[in-house]
Amino acid sequence: MTEEPPRWLSAEEMQAWRALLGVIMWLPPALDAQLRRDAGLAHFEYALLAQLSMSPGDRARISDLAVLANGALPRVSKVLDRFEQRGWLTRTPDPSDGRYTLAVLTAQGRAVVERSAPGHVEHVRGLVFDRLTPAQVRQLTRIADAVGRAVRPEPNPTHTARTAPEEP
């Protein structure tokens, strides 16, 4: 059996790859710095609060939040512990399946999101969307979706995040 030679990147592909790596490396710290400065939150923390605020009834299964935030359940639980201590959320058993725990955003937690969101969205606009044409935004969506499908784990067709019980 002969080994295939590597499929090296073309000059154009290498230019695109380096540009993408720059975004991957520099965008997260830029988002984090703005949120820490203006809201006292890490981007990961804001993402969890924002996801809760966009969930029906301001509630979501903790395991679902972990999947959406690409965070390990123990990390998410530690962040939610801090939020609970600050009065930003409560936890309650899921009435439809007691194996799960729901995180429920409180009025105080919603107020944190509502105070933080305007500055965050303005920062996102300034870093990304104000620099793109509407056609480029549509291209970015298609590109990010295509790459995202390749890097995100495939959901198990018989077991989704909503049916997998949380680890103790």
Side-chain angles (χ1 to χ4, degrees), residues 74-147:
R75 179 183 183 202
V76 170
S77 288
K78 283 183 181 183
V79 170
L80 297 183
D81 286 344
R82 289 194 304 271
F83 289 172
E84 198 167 24
Q85 289 168 359
R86 294 175 187 164
W88 296 355
L89 66 82
T90 59
R91 297 182 213 207
T92 184
D94 185 338
S96 67
D97 187 338
R99 296 176 300 166
Y100 297 96
T101 301
L102 297 176
V104 182
L105 196 62
T106 64
Q108 189 177 354
R110 176 160 281 290
V112 170
V113 174
E114 290 173 355
R115 278 193 310 271
S116 306
H120 178 62
V121 75
E122 191 58 38
H123 193 58
V124 168
R125 283 193 168 286
L127 292 174
V128 180
F129 296 102
D130 291 348
R131 300 170 186 280
L132 303 175
T133 66
Q136 289 172 320
V137 171
R138 289 188 296 275
Q139 289 173 330
L140 178 60
T141 300
R142 288 192 297 274
I143 291 165
D145 283 346
V147 174

Side-chain angles (χ1 to χ4, degrees), residues 40-62:
L41 294 168
H43 187 252
F44 183 78
E45 294 170 327
Y46 175 81
L48 290 173
L49 283 174
Q51 188 58 50
L52 264 177
S53 76
M54 293 183 287
S55 298
D58 287 349
R59 63 186 60 227
R61 287 180 175 171
I62 294 173

